[in-house]
Amino acid sequence: MKDIKNISRSRAQESSAAIERLYITMRHLFNRGFYKPMGVSGETLREALLSLRPEIYGSIAEEKVELNGLLYVIERLPIGIEECRYINLTSDEGYSNSHFKAIVPPKRRRNCYRIDDEQMNVEITRGRSDIYDILTHLTFVFIESHKIKNRVLIADDGSVTRDWQKLEQVVNQTKKLTLIEREKAISHAANVLGRTFAEVKDIYDDFATVDAPDRFIHVVYWLGRLAIEEIVDNNKRTITFSPILRERLGHHIYGDIWATNIKEVLLANNLIDRPLHIISANMHSVMNSIFAEPVIGKKYKEASPFQIFEDLSSSNNKDIRKKVEEYAFKQGMLFLPDTSGTNIDVQIFDTAKIDFKKTVFSNSTFEAEKPVLIVMDYAFGEQAFETIDELLKPFKTDKKNKLFLNVESVSIMGKAGILQGGKGDIMIPNAHVNEGTADNYPFENELTANMFEGNDIPVFSGPMITVLGTSLQNRDLLKFFHESTWEAIGLEMEGAYYQKAIQSASKIRKSINANVKVRYAYYASDNPLETGSTLASGGLGTTGVKPTYLITIKILEQIFNIK
């Protein structure tokens, strides 16, 4: 009889199981309609997140409060949410036509509404990924709030430490803090958070807004206060999902409206029968790549090739950007600001109206009809499937007739985490693997690593992992994907969903050309395997400009048949 081996799970396996538990639990809570994050119903979420210990949340499993992770999350949640005991996730239910003023988080495009002192409504119009994102962030925030509570609550009767009392005095005064008062407050906050004075002082101003320069203190205080009330008064924070959101989610309602708007504009401008090239990118790189040269190119004859784009990306050069945009409109660009709720704006370029001789693409050649470019802003996670799936469907002009779109290519350019290399490097995938399921989507990428050589930017080629959310990045799991036979080079949130929609439209439903060309290229926004290089360590700055435009130009050169 064979000896039974003592089987133990690796950290990668534990992390994979934790992600699966998070995913299943969030769907269960959504179907249930409500839950209390720090109660019994939220326990599975908390335990799974603490087991996973995502890189972006740093010291989540330790007693001290995680500062960089808290900043990352707060920038993606509406201002004032830390004061709210009731958080209601809703669909687009008409609040934009009320007296309520929309609160948009600095780093996430979602409309939020402060209903009263205790309630914040958050609109979810970008699919399940938006729910996973916000629930993960809120779970982290509530875990951190109870760390604060543990450090300041002395007894069950509500007695608190002197540091907390001093912090409360600071929050209750209305005048702006002097330097001395601020540093006193930082000293008390440091004790409350289990951090050094220097650590708190370094991050203090990053939380500030124009209206609230001392917002850090307020965030810490309200997180702690609500956590204390949960224990002393048994007044639990509650997250609810509106009946309309539960009814609408998964039915592509917003994606259908979004895609129909685009097709109606194409039809109205006699562009719907032309060869179409869909590009998922930002709202400036395609426009600037084509039109910056004829507008301001003369000033940059002696400069390095990408200096013009760095200057256009600077917040100080709004006037130059406006000139390029005005010229683009004269050359036939159409802009479709989103009205559907997807938060995905669109630009349409009719290349028949572009004077290519004045551009850097003067060698462009077109076989028959000149193409039309549809540039869509970035989708968010599963929303990528919803939007592209609807866009690639035939356009029903009436009950009997429908027009099939002549889609020649779909190009995806975006930011992603890299597993070898650093910020600003380029990744060229040949397959997308869905995290947690191992569903995989191999494809023939029209872009290759060789095309990007000689530009002083490292380029990596191989499979990429499509993750449930950036906030679930885990070192052990990512290391497994990178070092095992998967040989993954990076991670992002939309690739598998885009490819799933493209494959179903081209290979199964036959709504577009079966041989549609696909292009995927990403530049690295972070390296979650390197300490200090995660998303919580800050943005790319100008490091992202060169790879962004290099990828954009390579995509356009292929569309414009430049050899």
Side-chain angles (χ1 to χ4, degrees):
M1 183 176 175
K2 289 184 178 179
D3 292 334
I4 297 173
K5 291 182 178 179
N6 182 21
I7 300 172
S8 61
R9 294 194 304 173
S10 68
R11 270 293 297 151
Q13 289 169 323
E14 288 176 5
S15 301
S16 182
I19 288 175
E20 189 174 0
R21 287 202 307 277
L22 280 163
Y23 179 71
I24 292 169
T25 304
M26 285 191 277
R27 295 193 74 153
H28 162 70
L29 294 172
F30 173 75
N31 290 329
R32 182 187 180 201
F34 74 97
Y35 78 105
K36 295 179 179 179
M38 300 310 292
V40 176
S41 53
E43 189 174 0
T44 306
L45 271 186
R46 300 196 308 272
E47 287 179 351
L49 200 61
L50 287 167
S51 172
L52 185 62
R53 297 197 295 275
E55 298 308 307
I56 214 163
Y57 294 152
S59 57
I60 184 173
E62 300 174 25
E63 287 185 13
K64 60 186 179 183
V65 172
E66 167 57 34
L67 296 181
N68 286 322
L70 185 61
L71 174 63
Y72 178 85
V73 167
I74 286 295
E75 289 179 330
R76 285 153 181 80
L77 294 174
I79 291 173
I81 197 168
E82 68 277 359
E83 301 174 12
C84 297
R85 184 171 283 107
Y86 302 100
I87 297 167
N88 186 26
L89 305 190
T90 73
S91 181
D92 180 358
E93 299 176 18
Y95 286 99
S96 58
N97 299 319
S98 67
H99 78 278
F100 295 110
K101 186 179 179 182
I103 306 169
V104 181
K107 299 288 180 72
R108 277 285 185 271
R109 288 174 294 177
R110 52 167 77 102
N111 291 331
C112 309
Y113 300 92
R114 184 76 178 264
I115 304 303
D116 54 38
D117 289 345
E118 291 190 311
Q119 181 179 335
M120 180 74 76
N121 281 14
V122 181
E123 275 188 5
I124 303 292
T125 57
R126 307 180 77 186
R128 287 191 182 92
S129 293
D130 220 5
I131 293 178
Y132 303 149
D133 183 67
I134 196 165
L135 290 189
T136 310
H137 288 338
L138 288 172
T139 302
F140 163 76
V141 164
F142 294 154
I143 289 172
E144 297 301 300
S145 75
H146 272 248
K147 288 184 190 176
I148 297 170
K149 179 267 299 177
N150 292 339
R151 298 185 71 89
V152 301
L153 188 61
I154 299 172
D156 292 342
D157 64 358
S159 301
V160 292
T161 63
R162 179 178 178 275
D163 286 310
W164 187 253
Q165 293 170 2
K166 292 294 183 181
L167 217 57
E168 189 169 37
Q169 290 173 11
V170 172
V171 169
N172 289 334
Q173 70 178 51
T174 54
K175 65 176 185 177
K176 185 179 177 182
L177 298 182
T178 65
L179 177 61
I180 294 172
E181 289 171 332
R182 176 186 292 188
E183 292 194 341
K184 284 181 180 178
I186 289 173
S187 176
H188 295 303
N191 289 337
V192 165
L193 300 171
R195 290 287 186 170
T196 67
F197 178 85
E199 286 174 322
V200 176
K201 189 176 181 182
D202 283 346
I203 206 164
Y204 192 93
D205 288 334
D206 294 335
F207 281 79
T209 64
V210 175
D211 298 327
D214 301 301
R215 187 178 174 222
F216 178 84
I217 296 295
H218 287 257
V219 169
V220 170
Y221 171 74
W222 279 101
L223 288 179
R225 174 173 163 173
L226 293 187
I228 291 168
E229 290 176 1
E230 284 187 316
I231 299 302
V232 176
D233 304 324
N234 197 29
N235 206 347
K236 302 286 188 191
R237 284 169 284 194
T238 305
I239 293 176
T240 55
F241 307 90
S242 79
I244 303 299
L245 174 64
R246 293 159 66 200
E247 178 186 302
R248 288 179 177 175
L249 195 75
H251 295 296
H252 291 201
I253 289 170
Y254 301 105
D256 181 25
I257 298 168
W258 176 82
T260 301
N261 288 345
I262 295 170
K263 291 167 189 175
E264 286 175 347
V265 170
L266 290 172
L267 183 67
N269 288 273
N270 298 315
L271 303 173
I272 202 157
D273 294 321
R274 298 260 294 278
L276 302 175
H277 295 268
I278 299 166
I279 304 172
S280 173
N282 49 56
M283 288 287 98
H284 55 78
S285 59
V286 172
M287 178 181 70
N288 289 345
S289 295
I290 298 173
F291 299 114
E293 175 64 25
V295 177
I296 56 173
K298 289 180 181 178
K299 298 178 182 177
Y300 291 87
K301 292 297 181 186
E302 306 299 323
S304 60
F306 293 93
Q307 186 61 49
I308 188 172
F309 302 125
E310 282 197 22
D311 288 357
L312 280 168
S313 301
S314 170
S315 56
N316 299 323
N317 289 328
K318 291 180 181 177
D319 292 340
I320 301 176
R321 285 202 299 275
K322 191 174 181 182
K323 285 181 183 178
V324 174
E325 187 178 47
E326 287 172 353
Y327 182 79
F329 282 123
K330 289 177 184 176
Q331 294 275 301
M333 183 183 84
L334 301 172
F335 178 60
L336 284 62
D338 179 63
T339 55
S340 68
T342 61
N343 283 311
I344 299 177
D345 296 335
V346 172
Q347 294 166 329
I348 296 175
F349 299 86
D350 179 1
T351 60
K353 295 181 178 179
I354 297 173
D355 185 355
F356 279 97
K357 291 178 183 177
K358 295 180 180 179
T359 71
V360 294
F361 304 104
S362 55
N363 295 330
S364 301
T365 56
F366 303 102
E367 293 175 0
E369 287 186 294
K370 287 189 174 180
V372 173
L373 311 183
I374 301 172
V375 180
M376 57 180 283
D377 209 343
Y378 299 121
F380 187 74
E382 284 189 36
Q383 188 192 34
F385 178 78
E386 175 179 341
T387 49
I388 290 292
D389 185 58
E390 293 297 329
L391 186 56
L392 298 182
K393 286 179 181 177
F395 180 41
K396 292 182 180 179
T397 52
D398 52 49
K399 289 184 178 180
K400 293 182 180 179
N401 299 311
K402 54 185 179 181
L403 290 169
F404 287 84
L405 303 184
N406 181 16
V407 179
E408 292 196 349
S409 76
V410 181
S411 303
I412 312 298
M413 185 269 285
K415 292 187 293 187
I418 196 167
L419 300 179
Q420 58 187 107
K423 291 185 178 185
D425 294 353
I426 290 175
M427 291 161 279
I428 308 296
N430 54 29
H432 288 292
V433 180
N434 235 343
E435 177 188 54
T437 63
D439 292 347
N440 53 82
Y441 302 88
F443 51 85
E444 187 176 333
N445 197 340
E446 295 294 314
L447 299 173
T448 65
N450 295 337
M451 294 177 184
F452 294 87
E453 290 179 356
N455 289 286
D456 296 323
I457 297 179
V459 185
F460 302 92
S461 183
M464 291 185 70
I465 310 300
T466 299
V467 298
L468 280 175
T470 54
S471 54
L472 298 180
Q473 291 178 2
N474 170 272
R475 183 187 298 268
D476 301 292
L477 191 55
L478 296 178
K479 206 171 179 183
F480 164 75
F481 273 119
H482 179 49
E483 296 179 357
S484 70
T485 50
W486 285 109
E487 295 183 334
I489 58 170
L491 62 148
E492 46 73 58
M493 283 184 64
E494 294 82 25
Y497 301 116
Y498 279 126
Q499 191 58 25
K500 182 163 64 171
I502 295 166
Q503 284 182 193
S504 64
S506 60
K507 308 297 183 187
I508 301 172
R509 302 162 97 171
K510 310 295 184 186
S511 56
I512 62 169
N513 180 2
N515 298 314
V516 63
K517 294 178 178 179
V518 294
R519 304 179 188 91
Y520 290 90
Y522 301 90
Y523 59 93
S525 58
D526 63 298
N527 185 333
L529 294 182
E530 282 187 10
T531 303
S533 295
T534 67
L535 282 170
S537 65
L540 275 167
T542 57
T543 309
V545 173
K546 185 174 180 179
T548 298
Y549 281 91
L550 185 58
I551 292 168
T552 306
I553 288 167
K554 293 299 178 185
I555 290 171
L556 293 175
E557 283 177 348
Q558 288 200 349
I559 294 172
F560 298 155
N561 296 312
I562 296 174
K563 305 300 180 185

